[in-house]
Each structure stands twice: as structure tokens, then as C-alpha cells.
Amino acid sequence: MTASRTARERVRAELTREITDIARRQLATEGAGGLSLRAVAREMGMVSSAIYRYFPSRDDLLTALIVDGYNALGEAVEQAEAACPRDDFTGRWLAACHGVRGWAVSHPHEYALLYGSPVPGYQAPQDTVAARVRDVAVLGTLVTDACRAGAVRLPAGLPVPPPELAGEGAGLRALMPGVPDEVIWAAASAWTALYGWVNFEVFGQFNNTIDDRRTAFDHAMRLTATHLGLSTP
């Protein structure tokens, strides 16, 4: 690789990063539906035709932002969960949950791009899949580890999964190989509660209702850990 090519690649990477940084600021003011390559080009002092060499369309820019967002969220969850002892399954669950919430409340507009209303006319490509599952992969590994360690004890009296669900949830089963159906569906319920709670906080549904949201969230996630039957051997 020549020095001139290396320099060109470095300049391209820097300009690409600047474009995505400006686009993230646009998310805060215009929302994902208002994202405009021309507006980004104006802020950069770049002719509008030049920006298309970096992102051929608005959807390509959206995809880059979505992949970056999922990777940032996934990294936050991975780092939070990795700090816990491997046999402290409740601690790992709570750390992962707080990792989701911490990133979401610090990056509400990026979180809204991932978990808010769909952008009209945009269809996420396969390029987003690997990044999209990073956070839930942590949760899936946690549940799988807990099951293998004999540390999942579902509360008595939980409904048994109906026969109609026997062939459902292929993605869930891939994340939790060998995990019994009753635990898989309890985990799906717990994950839904996690993201539902975060959505309520990020999108203002707790305004004038809950002030100490971090403490309330922690308690809610402890309830989900109990519902999921997590324990420490």
C-alpha cells in the first residue's frame, strides 16, 4: 500500500466520521425522517454532489448510523456485564440491564433511531443484523450459562408454554441453545420488560410519574430476574 493511498484512506475515514457526527446532531433536531444529505453537506461546506461519494443515499447514511448505534449499545452492555463474576447471574443480568438503560438515556436520539418509530420508506438491510444482536446476545449467553449451571429456578405456578409455541422463536433458540422452552419464553418476557421500561423512560412516559427513575428501574429489573428464576449457586 502506497503512502498516498494510505493518506487518502485516512482522509476518507475522517470525512466519513464527520458526516456521521453531523448526521447524529441532525437526529436530535430533525428526527430520522428529516435526515438530509444536502443539509449535512451544507454544514460541512461541501457541495451536495460530493457527499454522495461517501453515502450514495439517505438510506445508506441511516444504515451507517443504525449500525454504529447498535454497536455502541452492544459494547456498553458487553462491558457492563463482563465486569461481573461469571457465577453471579443476577448481578450479570442487572449489570446488562443498566448497560442498556445507561446508554439509552445518554444517547436518546440514537436510541430512538434503533427502537423508536420506523422511518417511513426505510428498510433496514442485512448489514445491520450482526450489530443488532450484540446486546441480546449478551442476555442469551447469560441465560444459557445460568441454565447450564443449574441456576435457573422458575417461580412455581408460571403458565406452561402452549403447544402452538413449540415451533416458534427460532431466533431466541439460536441465542439460547439447549435452554428449555419455559425458560426461553420467560427470558423473552424479561427482555421485553427491559426494553419496554427503557422505552417508557426515553420517550417521556414516566414524566410526572416517577422521579427517581434509576432506582425504580433497578427494582423493576430485580423483579424480572426473579420472574426469570435467576440465582447464584
Side-chain angles (χ1 to χ4, degrees):
M1 182 180 292
T2 65
S4 61
R5 182 172 178 179
T6 301
R8 286 198 302 271
E9 290 176 347
R10 186 165 58 249
V11 169
R12 182 178 180 85
E14 290 172 355
L15 284 173
T16 299
R17 185 163 49 249
E18 185 178 355
I19 291 168
T20 54
D21 286 345
I22 292 172
R24 287 188 191 93
R25 294 199 295 270
Q26 267 197 29
L27 291 177
T29 57
E30 306 298 331
L35 188 64
S36 165
L37 283 171
R38 290 179 179 275
V40 172
R42 280 197 304 272
E43 184 167 341
M44 293 184 68
M46 176 188 291
V47 296
S48 58
S49 59
I51 201 169
Y52 292 101
R53 293 201 294 268
Y54 299 88
F55 295 98
S57 71
R58 182 209 66 163
D59 284 3
D60 291 302
L61 179 54
L62 271 176
T63 296
L65 294 175
I66 288 169
V67 170
D68 285 352
Y70 277 128
N71 277 325
L73 172 59
E75 183 177 2
V77 176
E78 289 164 359
Q79 290 181 351
E81 191 268 349
C84 295
R86 296 297 84 191
D87 63 349
D88 182 3
F89 300 108
T90 298
R92 287 169 63 183
W93 166 255
L94 293 174
C97 291
H98 279 285
V100 173
R101 177 187 175 273
W103 187 86
V105 298
S106 297
H107 304 84
H109 304 294
E110 292 172 67
Y111 182 84
L113 180 62
L114 307 181
Y115 289 104
S117 300
V119 180
Y122 175 78
Q123 183 68 41
Q126 284 295 111
D127 297 355
T128 63
V129 173
R132 179 168 57 85
V133 299
R134 281 183 66 174
D135 53 343
V136 293
V138 173
L139 304 177
T141 299
L142 188 164
V143 172
T144 304
D145 289 350
C147 278
R148 289 174 179 169
V152 174
R153 303 179 184 88
L154 295 178
L158 288 184
V160 175
E164 292 83 358
L165 291 180
E168 296 287 347
L172 294 170
R173 298 175 196 281
L175 288 169
M176 295 174 282
V179 172
D181 275 13
E182 59 269 24
V183 178
I184 285 176
W185 293 110
S189 177
W191 297 352
T192 303
L194 161 61
Y195 286 94
W197 189 283
V198 172
N199 277 19
F200 263 50
E201 180 170 359
V202 171
F203 301 134
Q205 300 302 314
F206 289 143
N207 292 350
N208 303 315
T209 303
I210 299 174
D211 294 324
D212 188 350
R213 292 167 193 163
R214 188 185 187 285
T215 300
F217 175 81
D218 185 79
H219 178 65
M221 294 305 103
R222 289 178 186 277
L223 291 174
T224 60
T226 300
H227 173 79
L228 184 50
L230 293 178
S231 62
T232 299

